[in-house]
Amino acid sequence: MATPLTPQQVVLRLSLYLVLAANWPLWLQVVQISGGAGAALRPLAALAVLVACGTVALLAFSAWTRGMKPLWWLVVLIAALAQYYMGAYGVVMDPGMATNVLQTDVREAADLLGPQMLAAVAAVLVLPTWWLVRVPLPAMRPLRQLGRNALLLVLALLVASGTVAITARDLAPLMRSHPQLRYLMNPLASLYSGAVAAARPALARSRVLMPMTQGAALGASYAAGARPLLLVLVVGETARADHFGINGYGRDTTPALAARNVLSWQNVRSCGTSTAASLPCMFSPLDKDAFEARKNDTENLLDVAQAAGLAVLWLDNQSGCKGVCDRVPHAAAQDGLAPDARAALCPGGECSDEALLQGLEQRLAALPAASRQRGALVVLHQMGSHGPAYYKRSGTDAKRFMPECRTEVLAQCAPGELVNAYDNSIAATDAFLGRAIDWLRAQSARYDTALLYVSDHGESLGEYGLFLHGMPYSLAPDAQKHVPMVAWLDESLARRRGLSAACLRADQGRALTHDNLYHTVLGVLDVQSPTYRRALDAFDNCRNHKENRPVALAR
């Protein structure tokens, strides 16, 4: 049997172990920033002391003799998992990333699992697990334990304060220039960010939902005799604008869109770098800054369209709508599919995006007839290019760029194979959008139709050692924020909304953001609202253009 230890001694040893065993992404980043191990010695030593003191201070609250071993083991497990993902994908554990983790569904989580992840986690976890099982904790009076815990906490804070005072000349410039380092401190960043992310739903429930639907009404184009208007809004996933062939990419990843004569804005930036951040923001009437500073939640684009009298439907092939669709009809892509269609489109429980189009006419017909006779807004939320298993996002018979990376450990892929897998997923999105446009063309006998596509965020493919997405917005590279935005309008809708094709094509280089989506969709739908801002409508510059008559935008 191991030598008995007090809980305070266990906390000290665990903290030192985690500094040494679970902070390699932090140490490697500091060495890289400093230009070598020799130049990094002072900041490395200072950060090691700070991480150790911070961990001791945090665990001091758990330094009791009863029932704490499972909690300590859980902290080590969290640290081991965080180190693996920070090292393998170059992510940082900020609250946004923790929110992504908590909102990840089983399908997404399965893509991240693998033997290398299990081996990396076991390398950190096995030794402290064996030690915690064996170490005895002698009984101690509660008041005595409380006093020792308080002393441990005070000492940890004093040592940390002294370290900061002594090393401020080294640490202050480093942390100011590279704020991402604070989110590599393990397990402090993971525990802090996880707590913030877990608390957000409770805080959100205490918020008042601010109404935004007052004054919503249909515009003059809905006069008696006008045909219903049908807009399909496709919310893409993890698509980079610079990997779209129609935007000048060196590979022809978008032949279907090119053949359908779409509009493509080439200078669009997202509201966030993750689905959880971008999705509610892009559907909000507030701009990015106001959305992030808001004290209460607001009704969104779907609420306004529905209040104006249109039918609204959200179909999801992702991990949910993040609250955007809560007050309108919504369903998962696989809901209601016939068994043969489910078997073909959803093998293993994960559907291809084609499932979003399966039976779409029937889904549309099931919406309230009175609203549908005016028009409908249908939102299709894609799986798109969700990583790291990019190779799963394209069908075997549709892979155009080979060989492709077929592992979730992206750092082990040859750069060219990783890009091949990602580009195949973009080509799959292109084919899906082409079929969606063809479906809309088939509805043109009954509706004035249009399609608008925009991705929620981009993706890092190894640039600067980063993979996936979710970096803090101020630190994220452009690859995670530069997103594609595409539109297709049939001739009757272009005429109805007074749009000039020549003007729109000349305007494709215009700088846009997710802030424009809310107002652009209201403009296409001809929904009047006090929240609508013409200056943010991507089409408004070309509506009723003085020099050009409205002409067809679709072939």
Side-chain angles (χ1 to χ4, degrees):
M1 195 69 175
T3 304
L5 295 175
T6 66
Q8 294 76 28
Q9 291 172 319
V10 171
V11 163
L12 282 169
R13 296 188 184 193
L14 269 184
S15 299
L16 292 175
Y17 174 79
L18 291 175
V19 169
L20 296 173
N23 277 278
W24 285 104
L26 174 61
W27 310 141
L28 292 174
Q29 182 95 172
V30 173
V31 169
Q32 182 181 10
I33 291 169
S34 303
L41 285 179
R42 285 177 61 84
L44 281 175
L47 284 172
V49 173
L50 290 178
V51 173
C53 289
T55 307
V56 169
L58 186 63
L59 294 183
F61 293 96
S62 70
W64 302 89
T65 56
R66 292 184 178 274
M68 291 296 108
K69 285 186 178 183
L71 177 61
W72 294 330
W73 182 86
L74 181 61
V75 170
V76 179
L77 174 63
I78 291 171
L81 288 168
Q83 172 168 265
Y84 171 74
Y85 290 115
M86 288 190 293
Y89 299 112
V91 301
V92 296
M93 293 307 298
D94 69 317
M97 182 60 67
T99 299
N100 294 337
V101 171
L102 293 176
Q103 294 185 359
T104 295
D105 61 19
V106 175
R107 295 178 303 169
E108 293 176 349
D111 287 342
L112 294 168
L113 299 176
Q116 291 184 314
M117 184 274 283
L118 296 176
V121 171
V124 176
L125 193 60
V126 167
L127 180 60
T129 300
W130 173 81
W131 179 66
L132 284 172
V133 168
R134 296 184 74 247
V135 65
L137 297 175
M140 191 181 300
R141 294 176 181 174
L143 287 178
R144 188 178 182 188
Q145 289 187 79
L146 181 62
R148 290 193 174 192
N149 292 353
L151 179 61
L152 185 63
L153 175 62
V154 170
L155 288 175
L157 295 177
L158 287 175
V159 173
S161 299
T163 302
V164 169
I166 294 170
T167 63
R169 291 181 61 184
D170 297 298
L171 281 184
L174 180 69
M175 302 303 289
R176 187 180 301 113
S177 301
H178 304 280
Q180 74 273 18
L181 294 177
R182 72 190 69 174
Y183 294 118
L184 292 173
M185 297 180 177
N186 200 17
L188 297 174
S190 305
L191 295 174
Y192 163 76
S193 297
V196 171
R200 280 176 176 169
L203 295 175
R205 283 193 293 270
S206 67
R207 290 176 173 172
V208 176
L209 181 66
M210 302 299 292
M212 291 286 166
T213 55
Q214 302 98 321
L218 300 179
S221 70
Y222 291 88
R227 299 198 308 172
L229 190 153
L230 174 58
L231 172 61
V232 171
L233 172 58
V234 180
V235 179
E237 169 66 33
T238 319
R240 288 173 55 152
D242 63 348
H243 279 246
F244 268 48
I246 54 174
N247 289 342
Y249 184 45
R251 284 176 159 178
D252 187 14
T253 54
T254 53
L257 291 174
R260 287 160 178 81
N261 200 30
V262 300
L263 297 166
S264 180
W265 290 269
Q266 300 167 14
N267 190 14
V268 184
R269 297 300 182 276
S270 66
C271 189
T273 61
S274 68
T275 305
S278 282
L279 210 56
C281 182
M282 62 199 289
F283 280 82
S284 169
L286 306 176
D287 61 26
K288 173 178 166 60
D289 293 338
F291 180 82
E292 292 174 349
R294 74 198 188 286
K295 300 299 183 182
N296 290 300
D297 292 327
T298 65
E299 292 179 316
N300 60 51
L301 172 63
L302 306 187
D303 298 305
V304 173
Q306 184 170 254
L310 298 177
V312 178
L313 174 65
W314 179 289
L315 290 178
D316 211 300
N317 196 31
Q318 257 288 342
S319 56
C321 68
K322 315 306 180 189
V324 172
C325 65
D326 287 354
R327 294 170 295 279
V328 302
H330 55 275
Q334 60 184 338
D335 291 348
L337 291 183
D340 57 339
R342 186 187 292 251
L345 297 172
C346 308
E350 179 178 304
C351 296
S352 71
D353 286 328
E354 299 301 323
L356 292 166
L357 299 176
Q358 186 75 20
L360 188 52
E361 287 186 53
Q362 290 74 22
R363 294 183 190 271
L364 185 61
L367 297 175
S371 299
R372 181 167 37 85
Q373 288 168 5
R374 303 184 191 100
L377 169 61
V378 177
V379 184
L380 307 180
H381 187 199
Q382 279 188 281
M383 176 61 76
S385 299
H386 197 286
Y390 306 119
Y391 67 93
K392 293 183 179 180
R393 311 299 172 229
S394 56
T396 304
D397 58 346
K399 294 184 181 297
R400 302 174 51 204
F401 308 106
M402 297 297 287
E404 66 174 1
C405 169
R406 297 188 64 83
T407 176
E408 289 76 25
V409 188
L410 302 182
Q412 294 184 354
C413 295
E417 294 182 5
L418 176 58
V419 171
N420 284 346
Y422 182 79
D423 284 350
N424 282 331
S425 74
I426 296 295
T429 286
D430 170 68
F432 168 76
L433 293 175
R435 281 188 274 273
I437 291 171
D438 293 344
W439 180 84
L440 282 169
R441 281 174 169 163
Q443 311 305 311
S444 61
R446 293 177 292 163
Y447 296 95
D448 294 336
T449 60
L451 177 140
L452 183 63
Y453 164 85
V454 62
S455 185
D456 58 352
H457 54 77
E459 187 85 329
S460 286
L461 297 173
E463 303 94 343
Y464 313 108
L466 301 176
F467 297 93
L468 303 180
H469 53 267
M471 287 287 289
Y473 198 87
S474 61
L475 305 175
D478 199 52
Q480 296 189 24
K481 298 181 285 191
H482 186 196
V483 295
M485 181 171 166
V486 170
W488 175 89
L489 304 158
D490 74 5
E491 182 177 355
S492 61
L493 189 139
R495 185 182 304 111
R496 173 176 178 163
R497 300 302 297 128
L499 294 170
S500 163
C503 175
L504 285 170
R505 297 205 182 282
D507 205 34
Q508 289 178 101
R510 175 184 178 187
L512 300 173
T513 71
H514 276 166
D515 293 348
N516 296 92
L517 180 68
Y518 177 92
H519 310 279
T520 301
V521 172
L522 290 186
V524 172
L525 293 173
D526 192 16
V527 169
Q528 298 179 349
S529 168
T531 61
Y532 170 74
R533 294 163 60 185
R534 291 186 60 181
L536 292 177
D537 183 343
F539 290 138
D540 192 67
N541 286 348
C542 300
R543 187 168 286 123
N544 297 318
H545 199 271
K546 295 178 180 179
E547 299 177 0
N548 298 287
R549 296 173 57 192
V551 295
L553 296 178
R555 290 174 180 168

